[in-house]
Amino acid sequence: MTMKMGKKNEHGLGYYLEYLFALFTVLQANTLYYNNWGRQVTTFWLILCLSLMFGSLYNLYRKSVNIYPLMCLYVYYVPASIMLLAILFVFKDSINKQKYIMAFFIIPTCLFPFLYERCLKEKEYYFFNKIKNIILILASISLAGWTLSIFKVPTNSFISSSWGSTPTLPGYFHIHFIAQGSTAFLGINIIRNTGIFVEAPMFSYVLCLGLLIELFINKNRSSKFIILIFVFTIFTTASTTGVVIAAASLFYYKFIVKSSSVLFNLPIISLGLLLLIIFIKFMVYHKFNPNWASSSSLRMNDYYAGYKAWSQHILLGNGLDNNQSIINFMDPRRIVASVDSPGIIGFSNGIMQVLAFGGVALLTNFYIIPTIMGVLSSKKIAGVSLFCFILFCTTIVSTLFIYITILSFFLINFIISRSKGSKYI
């Protein structure tokens, strides 16, 4: 009877709400569904987030849990966020203000109680495991669709897209789409696996998050089969960043997290690190193309344009979503070419975009501080923090709900890990 009750509680309403919340969190990460029905996805996500928040607040109240650490976090975060956003809105040419209020204030403050309750119970894994399972399902479906495209099986569905220069994208059964064509990757010409995402790098980003969750947040032994699916699917996206992050995270997991003595294994770690550096150099070498319109050249120009835009206003940037401040410093050939191909002036560098928009103040308050708190929590969470920050630096993910959720988790996990054993918990 007791076992049945436990099973019932485990798979109660909250269990399914968390899965729905995980699903919409992933869908918001620049999927083609979000590209077409963004307002609906955001609305459902907010409803689910508020439901989980109030449910957690009720549980904390019902069980008389001391919320002093949570309140301390609010005392720091709320005034700092309001003050910084107000300054950027009033004194800078900020655009699309609602998006940034949502990303930097509403989402974190709503997530804090939910994540606090989960981390207190040491059940944060169960929530992130749901996100990982959703990503795993998408990866498996994408491999099937990618295989069909490799064998040139005719597509049977379409979806519209405002991302890039192709307004209509072909796909299979409305669950896999070919958003980008073939590309040369490590000397192999392959069709880029984009799954349900607007582009391969974004799919690679989400896959990397799934891999990081499996390696570092997973409370149980990591599944080699699941790791293999994630790594192989990342390879099919032909994303250099994704492959490098996958290799580096596996190295960190094997030699830092799982190693009982780093000093004892120092020769092995040194050799592995050397091989990793050679591998990264090999990847970058094959990625580089001197053509000004190539992906590698555009990315390098993004660094330059972003840096020049940021250097105009180092502390507070040029204003949130002020893309023109970056475009002004891009290669003039990109501006000319954008008449026929608007996507060529799209920006790809996350950290330089944040610096150009909000300067050091925005980067420090909303990204560096949570990342440092994650690094200080434990070896495993440090791995997630560092690799998530590298992904943030090389991909435009600064306002994605899934990344804001992870950053909020770093803050909550830190205050709880520091409060355990004190009089407040």
Side-chain angles (χ1 to χ4, degrees):
M1 184 69 179
T2 304
M3 291 179 65
K4 290 182 179 180
M5 286 295 291
K7 189 73 171 177
K8 182 178 179 181
N9 290 335
E10 182 185 351
H11 294 83
L13 178 62
Y15 176 87
Y16 297 105
L17 283 177
E18 282 189 28
Y19 251 117
L20 279 175
F21 183 62
L23 172 63
F24 279 93
T25 300
V26 174
L27 289 179
Q28 193 273 337
N30 285 342
T31 63
L32 286 162
Y33 303 132
Y34 181 73
N35 186 254
N36 280 270
W37 302 285
R39 180 171 296 181
Q40 293 88 332
V41 171
T42 300
T43 301
F44 276 113
W45 190 93
L46 270 176
I47 291 172
L48 291 165
C49 184
L50 289 171
S51 300
L52 293 172
M53 180 191 75
F54 286 120
S56 294
L57 287 173
Y58 172 74
N59 289 335
L60 291 171
Y61 171 77
R62 183 171 57 89
K63 297 176 181 179
S64 300
V65 176
N66 194 319
I67 59 171
Y68 179 82
L70 179 62
M71 296 309 298
C72 288
L73 178 59
Y74 273 115
V75 168
Y76 145 71
Y77 189 87
V78 171
S81 302
I82 292 176
M83 187 179 303
L84 180 54
L85 288 175
I87 292 172
L88 292 174
F89 289 165
V90 173
F91 298 104
K92 296 292 179 177
D93 297 325
S94 294
I95 307 167
N96 203 358
K97 298 175 183 178
Q98 290 181 340
K99 179 175 81 172
Y100 290 93
I101 293 174
M102 179 88 165
F104 298 140
F105 184 74
I106 294 176
I107 293 177
T109 53
C110 289
L111 284 172
F112 287 160
F114 168 67
L115 294 172
Y116 185 76
E117 186 210 7
R118 289 296 181 273
C119 288
L120 273 182
K121 296 179 178 178
E122 297 186 349
K123 289 186 176 180
E124 65 275 11
Y125 159 68
Y126 294 105
F127 167 64
F128 282 103
N129 188 52
K130 293 178 177 68
I131 292 180
K132 182 207 70 181
N133 288 341
I134 296 294
I135 299 172
L136 183 63
I137 292 171
L138 293 179
S140 302
I141 293 173
S142 77
L143 288 178
W146 178 74
T147 303
L148 292 176
S149 67
I150 289 292
F151 286 100
K152 302 186 185 305
V153 175
T155 57
N156 55 22
S157 63
F158 295 90
I159 193 169
S160 60
S161 173
S162 60
W163 190 282
S165 57
T166 306
T168 305
L169 302 175
Y172 298 101
F173 307 103
H174 301 283
I175 55 175
H176 178 86
F177 301 97
I178 305 173
Q180 293 176 294
S182 60
T183 186
F185 185 63
L186 299 180
I188 307 171
N189 194 53
I190 62 171
I191 295 176
R192 301 191 76 173
N193 184 359
T194 57
I196 60 171
F197 292 80
V198 295
E199 61 174 358
M202 189 54 60
F203 186 26
S204 173
Y205 170 78
V206 172
L207 290 167
C208 286
L209 293 184
L211 177 63
L212 293 176
I213 292 171
E214 177 65 18
L215 290 175
F216 303 121
I217 302 182
N218 191 351
K219 297 293 185 184
N220 305 314
R221 172 178 287 186
S222 297
S223 167
K224 293 181 180 178
F225 180 68
I226 291 176
I227 292 172
L228 179 62
I229 290 178
F230 280 135
V231 171
F232 182 71
T233 310
I234 289 170
F235 179 85
T236 64
T237 65
S239 168
T240 303
T241 301
V243 173
V244 169
I245 289 295
S249 60
L250 289 171
F251 175 85
Y252 181 91
Y253 176 77
K254 176 67 175 177
F255 294 109
I256 305 298
V257 173
K258 301 300 289 184
S259 176
S260 57
S261 174
V262 175
L263 185 61
F264 179 77
N265 291 319
L266 191 58
I268 300 176
I269 294 175
S270 301
L271 177 61
L273 187 60
L274 177 62
L275 293 174
L276 180 62
I277 293 172
I278 293 172
F279 173 72
I280 293 173
K281 186 176 180 180
F282 172 78
M283 294 289 296
V284 173
Y285 173 78
H286 278 271
K287 181 73 173 178
F288 180 74
N289 187 328
N291 186 347
W292 73 268
S294 68
S295 174
S296 58
S297 296
L298 292 177
R299 282 181 174 268
M300 291 304 297
N301 186 243
D302 283 345
Y303 274 103
Y304 172 81
Y307 171 78
K308 293 295 289 184
W310 169 51
S311 65
Q312 306 300 302
H313 304 281
I314 293 176
L315 181 61
L316 293 172
N318 299 279
L320 300 175
D321 248 24
N322 188 352
N323 291 295
Q324 191 59 46
S325 65
I326 300 175
I327 294 173
N328 290 338
F329 294 98
M330 285 183 176
D331 187 328
R333 290 172 293 186
R334 295 175 69 177
I335 312 300
V336 174
S338 67
V339 176
D340 299 317
S341 180
I344 203 167
I345 58 172
F347 202 66
S348 62
N349 190 283
I351 189 170
M352 295 314 304
Q353 184 192 61
V354 169
L355 285 170
F357 286 173
V360 174
L362 185 70
L363 180 69
T364 301
N365 193 61
F366 295 121
Y367 301 99
I368 290 182
I369 289 177
T371 299
I372 291 175
M373 289 185 173
V375 170
L376 296 176
S377 296
S378 67
K379 284 196 296 186
K380 280 192 168 185
I381 302 303
V384 183
S385 305
L386 292 172
F387 292 121
C388 278
F389 188 78
I390 295 171
L391 288 167
F392 154 74
C393 289
T394 58
T395 318
I396 302 296
V397 297
S398 57
T399 57
L400 289 188
F401 295 176
I402 193 168
Y403 188 42
I404 301 299
T405 300
I406 291 172
L407 291 173
S408 301
F409 164 67
F410 293 156
L411 292 171
I412 291 294
N413 189 71
F414 176 80
I415 64 169
I416 288 181
S417 65
R418 288 297 179 270
S419 301
K420 283 183 177 178
S422 75
K423 64 181 180 180
Y424 300 116
I425 294 292

